[in-house]
Amino acid sequence: MIRAILFDLDETLFDHRRAVAHAATRWTESVCPGHELLPEAPALWLDLEDKHVPAWHAGECSFAEQRRRRLREFCRRLGLPTPSDPDAAFAAFLTHYESAWTAFADVTEALDALAALDDAPTLGVLTNGVAVQQEAKLRSIGLMDRMEVVLTPDTLGAFKPAPQCYHKAAAKLGLRPQEVLMVGDNLLLDAVAPTRAGMHGVWLDRYRAEPGASSPGVTRITTLRDLPGVLAALRPRLLGPSRAA
């Protein structure tokens, strides 16, 4: 039986892309009003996350330092003046980012449907973000009280996609990996890797960026509204064929 569902947070429950677009635009405007490359700012910020965050995950720099690296390169690529105090500049960016925090429109409906199921699963979050910020997001968008656990590298000692991350997450729930469903927007981190670690992976392909991508044992959905149906279909399959008395 699937007894628990772990969700990724950013781009799964929380609309990170929307908040980044707002913050990157507002912050750039504050530094250089009317900048000709302003429309490119949101996509560039997301690209630099993908470039610099892995260095923190690998232990090559601190969380604060990867933020500084992102901001410096962001300014260099857009031709903006490099801030003399990158930490203060990043704090200003965060003010804009936090003002745009919101959940995706399908989240509440999906969680309500899961809660209404017989044998409703325990719900939690498994994220590679820092605990303080991720918990603040969940409180801001009204989901903190709906999660039994919020699991981060701070508590698990490992980042996704390390197998021990998923094993320790299941243990925190008092369950075996095969009793846990992992759902998220990243095909590797939230679907393929947890499946290899013994969980059941569901890839939330919100933006249909890779319609041809697939992996054995991974279910693909495009909205969380499909999740109760996935769970209902998976549970009988895991139980196997019925036997006559």
Side-chain angles (χ1 to χ4, degrees):
M1 284 289 288
I2 297 297
R3 304 188 185 281
I5 299 177
L6 289 174
F7 295 93
D8 176 57
L9 182 54
D10 293 352
E11 291 304 296
T12 299
L13 303 175
F14 169 78
D15 195 343
H16 175 66
R17 186 177 297 194
R18 177 182 179 276
V20 162
H22 175 81
T25 300
R26 291 294 181 88
W27 188 85
T28 303
E29 283 181 325
S30 72
V31 174
C32 186
H35 194 287
E36 62 180 2
L37 298 180
L38 187 62
E40 299 179 20
L44 175 59
W45 189 271
L46 292 171
D47 287 345
L48 294 178
E49 284 183 359
D50 291 339
K51 177 179 178 179
H52 290 289
V53 169
W56 165 52
H57 291 178
E60 298 170 5
C61 68
S62 67
F63 179 70
E65 177 57 25
Q66 62 82 22
R67 282 180 161 181
R68 296 180 193 116
R69 293 178 182 182
R70 276 194 278 152
L71 187 64
R72 292 188 188 106
E73 184 168 355
F74 181 78
C75 291
R76 179 176 59 79
R77 296 270 293 272
L78 289 183
L80 301 173
T82 302
S84 58
D85 185 345
D87 292 334
F90 205 100
F93 175 90
L94 286 177
T95 298
H96 296 299
Y97 178 62
E98 292 169 3
S99 72
W101 283 358
T102 188
F104 284 102
D106 58 356
V107 172
T108 298
E109 180 181 336
L111 297 185
D112 287 346
L114 290 170
L117 294 174
D118 293 336
D119 298 320
T122 297
L123 304 180
V125 167
L126 175 57
T127 168
N128 273 348
V130 293
V132 171
Q133 186 180 58
Q134 301 301 71
E135 290 175 1
K137 289 176 183 176
L138 287 166
R139 284 191 292 270
S140 178
I141 63 178
L143 298 182
M144 190 67 176
D145 291 343
R146 306 196 69 160
M147 300 299 157
E148 184 70 22
V149 294
V150 179
L151 303 172
T152 69
D154 308 270
T155 55
L156 299 177
F159 291 91
K160 298 180 289 185
Q164 61 266 36
C165 178
Y166 309 105
H167 295 158
K168 290 181 178 180
K172 289 284 187 182
L173 292 165
L175 300 173
R176 297 170 295 166
Q178 57 264 41
E179 295 176 298
V180 181
L181 189 70
M182 179 74 212
V183 183
D185 69 292
N186 188 293
L187 179 58
L188 171 61
L189 305 187
D190 303 319
V192 174
T195 297
R196 290 173 179 166
M199 291 183 177
H200 302 275
V202 173
W203 176 36
L204 176 61
D205 184 19
R206 283 194 179 279
Y207 303 106
R208 306 178 190 233
E210 302 175 68
S214 63
S215 182
V218 170
T219 299
R220 174 180 172 269
I221 60 176
T222 57
T223 172
L224 289 177
R225 295 183 180 94
D226 294 337
L227 194 55
V230 169
L231 185 62
L234 186 59
R235 280 174 159 173
R237 176 163 63 84
L238 293 172
L239 291 171
S242 60
R243 296 182 180 179

